[in-house]
Amino acid sequence: MYREFWQLLIKGYGRLHLIVLIMVLTMAVALLEGFNMGLLVPLLQALETSEREGDHWVSRAFARIFDSVGVPLNLGTILVALAVLVAVLSALKYMRMLLIARVRIGFVVWVRARTMDSLMNADVSYFHHEKVGAIGSTLTTQAAGAGAVLFSITEIVINLGVATAYLVAAFLISPLLAVVALSTMVAVTLAMQFHIRRARRIGDRL
């Protein structure tokens, strides 16, 4: 089913350049999210002390980046960089949201037009055997469902990209803390799934 869906989306609907642009924006947002999280390390160190000895390697890396553009790494420049990153991230996310809406609506309109064109060119005997409700469902509910599937897949890819960026940044900043947090998340998820399945079994018995 998913194979036919992707063939319909890419080969039939086209607009591959918009889908590629959405993926590029997603990767850019994920990268900037990682930089945004990484800047928290020198920010916290700048709030604690003004001494440069014993800096985290992330702070030293950002110091080299700032020095390469002739800007000192201090509390003021870090706050300005964070503000710029937040503004750029907001703009990129807004652009991505508009592109996703454009692709989704355009895809639904194309599916409905394609279906209507097939119905207009169909033989009259087809309508003698097909229910009117099924035809209406194909034009409305199923087309909207195809758009919803496209939106859900896009959201999954976006969330995976952002989560990957945060995980990579967390492992680079503090591997031990990241492992503890990830292990806790997995344990909580498995416990929730166990209780959900248990509740379903109890509900089925009732």
Side-chain angles (χ1 to χ4, degrees):
M1 182 180 69
Y2 289 104
R3 182 180 179 182
E4 287 79 6
F5 174 80
W6 285 110
Q7 289 178 347
L8 186 67
L9 174 64
I10 297 175
K11 295 182 180 179
Y13 175 59
R15 308 294 191 276
L16 184 61
H17 63 286
L18 292 178
I19 299 174
V20 172
L21 183 56
I22 292 173
M23 295 299 105
V24 170
L25 287 176
T26 299
M27 290 187 290
V29 168
L31 182 62
L32 290 178
E33 290 280 7
F35 274 101
N36 195 22
M37 184 176 178
L39 271 175
L40 295 178
V41 176
L43 175 62
L44 293 175
Q45 289 187 343
L47 291 174
E48 290 178 357
T49 178
S50 59
E51 298 178 358
R52 300 298 296 269
E53 291 80 4
D55 278 350
H56 194 279
W57 71 268
V58 174
S59 298
R60 294 194 296 271
F62 275 107
R64 287 193 294 270
I65 294 174
F66 277 57
D67 291 338
S68 65
V69 295
V71 178
L73 182 66
N74 53 45
L75 182 58
T77 56
I78 293 172
L79 291 176
V80 170
L82 284 172
V84 172
L85 276 176
V86 170
V88 173
L89 281 170
S90 300
L92 291 178
K93 289 179 181 179
Y94 183 72
M95 290 174 55
R96 186 180 63 188
M97 181 183 67
L98 291 179
L99 287 174
I100 291 173
R102 180 180 176 183
V103 172
R104 178 183 180 182
I105 294 173
F107 181 62
V108 172
V109 171
W110 177 82
V111 168
R112 288 175 177 171
R114 181 174 179 270
T115 305
M116 180 61 72
D117 183 66
S118 299
L119 291 174
M120 295 295 293
N121 294 320
D123 190 81
V124 178
S125 60
Y126 170 78
F127 298 95
H128 294 163
H129 305 286
E130 189 67 27
K131 296 180 181 179
V132 177
I135 297 176
S137 176
T138 302
L139 287 171
T140 56
T141 306
Q142 294 184 22
V149 169
L150 177 61
F151 179 77
S152 299
I153 292 174
T154 307
E155 285 295 311
I156 290 173
V157 173
I158 291 172
N159 292 330
L160 283 176
V162 174
T164 302
Y166 275 112
L167 281 175
V168 171
F171 274 103
L172 290 176
I173 294 171
S174 179
L176 181 59
L177 185 60
V179 169
V180 172
L182 187 61
S183 302
T184 303
M185 183 181 67
V186 171
V188 171
T189 302
L190 293 176
M192 290 178 62
Q193 290 296 323
F194 170 76
H195 288 293
I196 290 173
R197 293 193 187 96
R198 183 181 179 185
R200 285 177 178 174
R201 288 195 298 268
I202 293 174
D204 293 338
R205 287 198 296 268
L206 294 176

